[in-house]
Amino acid sequence: MSIKRKLVFAVSLLCLMSVALSAYASTDSVLSRWRKTVKIMDEDNMGFVEFTVTYYSAEYIQALVQKEAKANLWTKDEEENYKYQLLKTLQLERNIPIFIEINNYSPALRMAPFGDQVELWINGKTYSPVDYDKRFNFKLTGKREGFVYFPRYDEETGQPLLTKAKTIKFSIDGGIGPITMGRSSIDFLWDVHRDNPDQFFTGKAAERLELDRLIIRLGNLKEQRDDIQKQLDELDAELARIQSRIDELQSK
């Protein structure tokens, strides 16, 4: 290989490495934008509690899937399977998922019931969780992490809560432990007005989620049908007994 061709090859390789590193940096910057951390030190700067909270925006999910696919050299099918499992865990079709990581190296946090200690602010209104990792109800020292889920739709109108939202705020009550007691709440804010999680409900992963939902729905409808059929059978038996007694009395 001539010196000129070697130089061209080296420059091309450096360009490819530069593009790859740039893509990784871009992915990491997206992921970090939606993960927010608050660290609270005690008065002696010895103990601390650290809260890291992640909002699963469409941008975050997309970056997470891409990062895992690149890191594991997944095929397209493997990537779709990961996306399916992720969407299934997130329950995006009905809930707003928030992931919480707590590292506590101070006196124990006592958060039971955890559902009363956290809330989500959307368009000036507060919402309580519909579900959460129940391990948060136990006394906490060291590390613990898990999801907390808030409703995506208004309970009365059925309308999406995020439609007109520009920002949302997730708050943890400051009374959960001695080290946080001086704060009314520990807050995390995200700009969500450009977020569109509905974009994930297309493709193979979305079809599998819809299939799961339809199978569950089918099972529930069959169960309802069996209950109704049982009631009809009991009514038919009662009608037959009554008719038999009527026939018996009329024949006398």
Side-chain angles (χ1 to χ4, degrees):
M1 183 181 292
S2 67
I3 295 177
K4 184 177 180 181
R5 292 183 65 182
K6 287 181 179 178
L7 284 173
V8 170
F9 176 75
V11 170
S12 300
L13 183 61
L14 285 173
C15 288
L16 287 173
M17 292 176 64
S18 176
V19 170
L21 289 173
S22 175
Y24 270 108
S26 176
T27 300
D28 286 340
S29 66
V30 169
L31 295 175
S32 64
R33 183 157 61 242
W34 297 98
R35 295 180 78 241
K36 297 182 181 297
T37 297
V38 172
K39 186 174 184 178
I40 302 171
M41 303 294 299
D42 65 13
E43 293 180 351
D44 299 325
N45 284 329
M46 298 293 287
F48 70 89
V49 60
E50 185 177 78
F51 301 90
T52 299
V53 179
T54 304
Y55 177 78
Y56 277 74
S57 68
E59 184 185 44
Y60 180 86
I61 296 170
Q62 187 66 32
L64 182 61
V65 171
Q66 289 178 355
K67 182 175 182 178
E68 292 297 323
K70 288 178 182 176
N72 295 287
L73 300 177
W74 284 337
T75 64
K76 192 63 181 176
D77 284 344
E78 289 172 327
E79 181 179 329
E80 281 292 329
N81 187 55
Y82 173 77
K83 182 179 168 183
Y84 162 73
Q85 295 294 345
L86 178 62
L87 293 178
K88 191 174 180 179
T89 300
L90 295 178
Q91 305 175 15
L92 280 177
E93 72 279 11
R94 60 182 183 279
N95 294 327
I96 300 171
I98 304 284
F99 190 73
I100 309 171
E101 303 164 68
I102 303 177
N103 281 299
N104 181 34
Y105 296 95
S106 68
L109 303 178
R110 299 176 186 274
M111 304 186 289
F114 187 68
D116 290 349
Q117 314 302 331
V118 296
E119 57 187 11
L120 193 66
W121 290 77
I122 306 174
N123 289 328
K125 294 183 179 179
T126 59
Y127 296 88
S128 297
V130 294
D131 195 12
Y132 59 86
D133 191 321
K134 299 301 186 292
R135 292 175 301 167
F136 285 124
N137 283 331
F138 295 95
K139 184 173 69 173
L140 194 161
T141 55
K143 183 177 182 179
R144 195 166 298 165
E145 59 186 29
F147 277 101
V148 54
Y149 299 94
F150 293 90
R152 182 172 293 277
Y153 298 94
D154 185 276
E155 188 176 8
E156 295 182 356
T157 66
Q159 296 299 310
L161 297 175
L162 294 172
T163 299
K164 297 181 180 179
K166 293 184 178 179
T167 60
I168 64 171
K169 181 174 74 172
F170 174 71
S171 297
I172 303 173
D173 194 296
I176 59 174
I179 195 171
T180 60
M181 199 68 76
R183 299 175 176 226
S184 59
S185 62
I186 303 106
D187 299 323
F188 305 84
L189 284 88
W190 296 276
D191 182 353
V192 297
H193 72 286
R194 293 179 180 174
D195 188 35
N196 179 26
D198 291 342
Q199 67 179 273
F200 292 106
F201 294 100
T202 59
K204 290 184 179 178
E207 290 173 355
R208 291 179 66 183
L209 286 172
E210 183 181 9
L211 181 60
D212 289 347
R213 182 180 63 78
L214 291 176
I215 289 173
I216 292 173
R217 177 64 175 157
L218 183 65
N220 291 337
L221 288 174
K222 284 182 176 179
E223 189 174 334
Q224 291 178 29
R225 183 194 61 186
D226 292 345
D227 289 340
I228 293 173
Q229 186 62 54
K230 184 179 179 181
Q231 293 178 32
L232 285 173
D233 291 344
E234 291 174 354
L235 286 173
D236 286 342
E238 180 66 13
L239 287 170
R241 283 194 295 273
I242 292 173
Q243 187 63 52
S244 175
R245 180 57 178 162
I246 290 174
D247 293 343
E248 180 183 341
L249 293 173
Q250 288 178 337
S251 63
K252 289 183 179 178

